[in-house]
Amino acid sequence: MGFFTITVVLFWIKTFIIYSTEFDLGISNGIQEFLLFFNPLSSGLIFLGLALFAKGRRMGIWIIIIDFILSFILYANVVYYRFNSDFITIPTLMQTSNFRSLGGSIADLIEIYDVLYLLDLIVIIVLYVILRKNWSEERMKYRKPLFVLITGVIVFAVNLSLAEIDRPQLLSRTFDNKYVVKYLGIYNFIIHDIIQSGETSTKRLAVDENDITRVESYTKNKYAEPNPAYFGSAKGKNVIKIHLESFQSFLIDYELHGEEVTPFLNSLVNDSRHEFTYFDNFFHQTGQGKTADSELTMDNSLYGLPEGAAFVTKGNNTYQSLPAIMNQQQGYTTAVFHGDDKSFWNREVIYKRFGIDKFYDASYYDMNEEDVINYGLKDKPFFKESIPLLEDLKQPFYAHLITLTNHHPYLIDSKDATIEPAETGDNSVDTYFQTARYLDESLEQFFTDLKAADLYEDSVIMIYGDHYGISDNHNKAMSEIIGEEITPLKNAHLQRVPFLIRIPGMEGQGTNHEFAGQIDVMPTLLHLLGIPAQDYIQFGTDLFSEQHKDFVSFRNGSFITKEYSYINGVYYNNETGEEIEPTKNMEKQKEQALYELKLSDELLNGDLLRFYTPNEDWKPVEYEAYQYGNPQNGE
Ligand code: GP9
Ligand code: MN
């Protein structure tokens, strides 16, 4: 037991030292610091504890072997991380390109001081050689090893609960590999990854080429013909797509303390010259993947998954995304701009599958402490620093800028706050208005700078909200804000997010009341560019088409039409808010909504696009050819 305890303690110390010195895990509070220190313990107890079942001296040998394996896994991740700033996962092991990206020279990544990571192994081997002679031949009573394993499990349970307090839904949503390592440790990360990729590959293997035909006939049947007045109207124009983080439509024209919260966006919406078309019945359709789901849906016209984020679990699927199509059909350069680490939401992996040429992540921005809050770079410096990057892009380009400051829990430095918080007493609701104001100001600044850089006039500009900012956990405060009780129906209708589009040389429509969702954006844009959209598998339809239906379905199977809504199993009249008995037609609509979600899930789970060729021009995306990260920052 003494030998075992020493090994566990040394293993624990070594793992913690490596976490702190080799990996950049972004520790931002006391719980995270504690968990980083605490998390190796359960793995040490459980894995090394298995050796205690062996008989006599063999137990010592097994402890050494297991300790060696654990150390080897940890060290392999250290070396991998030095180049990739990420951890080894099963899909990365399957991809030869990842080894190529190690630069072909693992030797460059190994440091002299790495031998120190062998120290604990040397100590226990020496100790074993000394102790070996008086090691008892007996097998330990099962009670002891069992006790060790149970303690390990309890320690793990405590660890997991503390992690869930600080980061709810850590495992079901898996935001970022670094988060799992930070909270649960590298070994639990590996176990989680093995389970997840096991599930993924079983689902992927259970399908064949015929499964895509059902999806294809459904989407082709749903296809809406382009509106001739719009088809091709944006051909060859730059497209600038601006993501408003956590921005709900109720903020538009909302007044707090007698002041407009978002005067700039309001001015775009209420502009009498109608530069933009504003869709006021546009909804987000995201699930647990939040931002990632909105990106997936807008660029692929697919729904996110019912659980987790497809960005993470389907990061290695085949896609036929908007950026790739724009690039192949019309030579667009495609780029994403975002002031957070490229590993968040597995973006650096999946963007390659989408065929995104350039990914300007945090490594391209000046992330000095002053300019960073919450998840990353503040929106004002983000937009400022994006201008020269945009200027350098080969035109025509498709540029997607993802903002960040208006993100839960809506933190803002007092010098950036230009409106007083609301006074509901619910902190994240109250400060939401301040970060939304900041976002609005940053947008105005960006427009001014785009004009100065001569990038405004001739560009398509698209603005959208990704998902709700105030969840239904805050219904009480929210009802104070909007002066109405938040019923399930009201809550569903609050899931509106803004969608604005400007097409250069064309007058906008002012406010368009079509009921629509993020799923409809890709077919709309394809038609604006003059690309026939019916070749591609898409669940949405063109917003400007005469055949577009006033219908929007949510990820959970609820849906909203112009007249009625189906929310959590109940039908409501939109006008009166009263429950209604469904007609045959409504029931049919419900079946269709569910069928559509099911097909989209089957497509993602079965990786069905690998069996689909949209047209003879289509070339599968060569994802291995893309490289992200700023070389000037050593990436
Ligand atoms: C992080 C950001 C936030 O990079 O996009 O994602 P969310 O938490 O909103 O899904
Ligand atoms: Mn978001």
Side-chain angles (χ1 to χ4, degrees):
M1 267 327 239
F3 182 71
F4 170 75
T5 312
I6 291 173
T7 312
V8 170
V9 170
L10 289 178
F11 161 83
W12 187 0
I13 296 173
K14 174 169 83 176
T15 312
F16 177 66
I17 291 176
I18 288 183
Y19 284 170
S20 321
T21 56
E22 295 284 355
F23 306 140
D24 179 11
L25 298 172
I27 304 293
S28 61
N29 64 32
I31 296 197
Q32 294 177 17
E33 214 161 304
F34 172 72
L35 288 181
L36 189 72
F37 167 73
F38 187 62
N39 77 47
L41 179 59
S42 66
S43 306
L45 288 173
I46 294 172
F47 291 119
L48 292 166
L50 290 175
L52 299 178
F53 289 101
K55 196 173 170 192
R57 273 186 222 156
R58 257 185 277 154
M59 176 206 286
I61 301 280
W62 273 112
I63 290 181
I64 293 170
I65 292 175
I66 296 174
D67 197 27
F68 176 80
I69 295 173
L70 294 176
S71 302
F72 179 79
I73 292 174
L74 182 60
Y75 184 63
N77 274 285
V78 167
V79 175
Y80 185 82
Y81 189 94
R82 284 180 186 156
F83 193 80
N84 293 288
S85 306
D86 204 347
F87 302 96
I88 303 172
T89 58
I90 303 288
T92 55
L93 279 177
M94 305 289 178
Q95 266 170 49
T96 45
S97 71
N98 279 291
F99 294 100
R100 227 184 299 140
S101 76
L102 272 177
S105 65
I106 294 184
D108 282 352
L109 300 169
I110 291 177
E111 304 286 346
I112 291 285
Y113 64 77
D114 290 354
V115 288
L116 292 177
Y117 298 150
L118 281 175
L119 263 186
D120 63 320
L121 276 167
I122 297 172
V123 170
I124 61 161
I125 291 172
V126 170
L127 205 63
Y128 174 74
V129 172
I130 298 169
L131 292 174
R132 185 168 57 165
K133 285 169 238 110
N134 7 0
W135 206 292
S136 135
E137 280 307 313
E138 296 292 296
R139 193 189 291 276
M140 224 186 247
K141 289 222 177 67
Y142 279 128
R143 271 210 324 265
K144 274 194 186 171
L146 267 182
F147 176 77
V148 170
L149 288 189
I150 291 170
T151 313
V153 171
I154 294 173
V155 169
F156 175 71
V158 171
N159 188 158
L160 186 61
S161 337
L162 285 172
E164 279 284 326
I165 292 174
D166 196 55
R167 175 65 58 186
Q169 298 178 299
L170 173 70
L171 289 183
S172 54
R173 297 185 62 199
T174 41
F175 311 84
D176 189 334
N177 294 341
K178 286 180 190 164
Y179 282 39
V180 183
V181 173
K182 168 163 77 177
Y183 288 105
L184 302 180
I186 186 84
Y187 303 103
N188 291 315
F189 165 75
I190 292 168
I191 294 173
H192 179 248
D193 178 56
I194 292 174
I195 296 174
Q196 210 171 51
S197 5
E199 281 174 8
T200 305
S201 55
T202 337
K203 286 181 185 155
R204 195 173 178 273
L205 286 174
V207 296
D208 62 36
E209 279 142 76
N210 300 322
D211 292 284
I212 189 69
T213 38
R214 235 169 339 132
V215 184
E216 187 187 356
S217 60
Y218 178 83
T219 56
K220 294 232 155 116
N221 190 28
K222 196 184 172 191
Y223 176 70
E225 299 284 339
N227 179 333
Y230 285 86
F231 189 78
S233 60
K235 195 170 180 162
K237 307 286 179 199
N238 294 327
V239 178
I240 300 175
K241 179 167 103 174
I242 304 167
H243 166 119
L244 303 180
E245 178 58 41
S246 305
F247 196 101
Q248 286 172 251
S249 298
F250 82 87
L251 288 165
I252 301 284
D253 286 334
Y254 185 82
E255 288 192 8
L256 182 71
H257 318 301
E259 260 180 79
E260 288 177 79
V261 178
T262 58
F264 183 67
L265 274 160
N266 298 351
S267 75
L268 301 181
V269 168
N270 302 316
D271 169 25
S272 56
R273 289 171 307 132
H274 292 174
E275 224 188 308
F276 279 83
T277 301
Y278 168 55
F279 287 84
D280 66 347
N281 289 317
F282 184 89
F283 291 77
H284 82 82
Q285 296 168 295
T286 62
Q288 290 184 330
K290 304 289 273 302
T291 294
D293 281 359
S294 78
E295 291 184 49
L296 176 91
T297 302
M298 305 250 312
D299 269 349
N300 296 274
S301 199
L302 301 171
Y303 293 95
L305 290 172
E307 265 179 11
F311 257 46
V312 178
T313 57
K314 307 297 168 199
N316 295 299
N317 272 14
T318 299
Y319 292 95
Q320 289 153 4
S321 309
L322 182 60
I325 298 171
M326 288 170 76
N327 177 273
Q328 292 191 18
Q329 294 274 322
Q330 300 192 342
Y332 274 83
T333 313
T334 59
V336 177
F337 302 73
H338 186 48
D340 189 6
D341 201 292
K342 62 183 185 301
S343 62
F344 200 93
W345 281 136
N346 202 30
R347 284 185 173 107
E348 72 175 314
V349 173
I350 201 160
Y351 281 177
K352 296 180 181 175
R353 301 281 175 161
F354 290 177
I356 290 169
D357 296 316
K358 299 202 162 34
F359 178 18
Y360 299 104
D361 76 319
S363 65
Y364 286 86
Y365 292 90
D366 179 1
M367 303 292 286
N368 71 70
E369 231 172 83
E370 276 270 286
D371 286 346
V372 168
I373 198 159
N374 208 350
Y375 279 67
L377 189 60
K378 293 180 185 175
D379 297 340
K380 284 185 187 173
F382 166 67
F383 279 128
K384 258 274 168 287
E385 293 175 44
S386 299
I387 292 280
L389 299 171
L390 273 172
E391 285 178 307
D392 281 352
L393 277 186
K394 192 170 151 285
Q395 302 197 13
F397 58 68
Y398 172 45
H400 179 195
L401 295 104
I402 307 175
T403 62
L404 203 48
T405 310
N406 189 41
H407 190 291
H408 185 83
Y410 311 109
L411 308 176
I412 188 152
D413 287 334
S414 52
K415 67 170 171 27
D416 294 324
T418 58
I419 185 167
E420 289 298 310
E423 287 158 353
T424 66
D426 181 331
N427 206 36
S428 52
V429 174
D430 293 350
T431 53
Y432 180 54
F433 297 91
Q434 297 184 293
T435 49
R437 163 66 74 79
Y438 176 80
L439 172 56
D440 186 66
E441 287 172 351
S442 71
L443 191 66
E444 179 169 24
Q445 168 214 296
F446 185 51
F447 271 49
T448 311
D449 292 346
L450 279 177
K451 286 175 186 166
D454 218 6
L455 286 172
Y456 181 86
E457 240 357 275
D458 209 29
S459 299
V460 172
I461 304 213
M462 252 165 43
I463 302 174
Y464 72 99
D466 63 342
H467 50 74
Y468 63 77
I470 309 292
S471 74
D472 47 12
N473 290 328
H474 302 275
N475 277 352
K476 202 172 147 283
M478 231 355 228
S479 64
E480 267 180 57
I481 294 291
I482 58 166
E484 256 181 79
E485 188 198 343
I486 315 274
T487 59
L489 178 68
K490 185 72 208 170
N491 181 54
H493 280 258
L494 275 170
Q495 304 309 310
R496 283 175 169 80
V497 292
F499 181 69
L500 291 99
I501 184 163
R502 164 191 194 269
I503 305 158
M506 252 188 124
E507 197 184 337
Q509 303 174 345
T511 301
N512 180 315
H513 304 299
E514 189 77 13
F515 279 72
Q518 292 165 332
I519 202 103
D520 298 320
V521 173
M522 176 179 175
T524 308
L525 198 63
L526 284 176
H527 282 166
L528 290 175
L529 296 173
I531 300 174
Q534 75 268 44
D535 290 354
Y536 305 95
I537 303 284
Q538 296 173 88
F539 287 95
T541 54
D542 181 351
L543 283 163
F544 292 115
S545 166
E546 295 292 332
Q547 295 164 0
H548 182 274
K549 281 215 188 104
D550 278 293
F551 169 84
V552 46
S553 81
F554 295 132
R555 179 54 260 190
N556 63 5
S558 297
F559 64 90
I560 293 185
T561 72
K562 200 173 183 172
E563 286 85 27
Y564 72 97
S565 306
Y566 172 73
I567 309 299
N568 305 335
V570 183
Y571 293 85
Y572 299 91
N573 178 315
N574 285 350
E575 191 114 17
T576 63
E578 271 159 27
E579 282 187 32
I580 47 174
E581 276 305 311
T583 61
K584 277 239 159 57
N585 225 348
M586 294 181 184
E587 300 266 20
K588 231 175 82 198
Q589 195 62 256
K590 178 187 94 178
E591 292 311 321
Q592 187 186 335
L594 290 176
Y595 184 61
E596 190 167 306
L597 288 165
K598 186 172 136 256
L599 288 180
S600 175
D601 293 348
E602 281 175 11
L603 183 145
L604 283 173
N605 286 326
D607 188 9
L608 294 181
L609 288 176
R610 71 193 144 127
F611 302 125
Y612 185 70
T613 311
N615 49 40
E616 33 187 72
D617 297 337
W618 175 255
K619 293 185 279 303
V621 175
E622 286 180 32
Y623 58 88
E624 297 196 340
Y626 299 91
Q627 196 69 58
Y628 304 141
N630 188 356
Q632 283 178 4
N633 276 344
E635 297 215 8

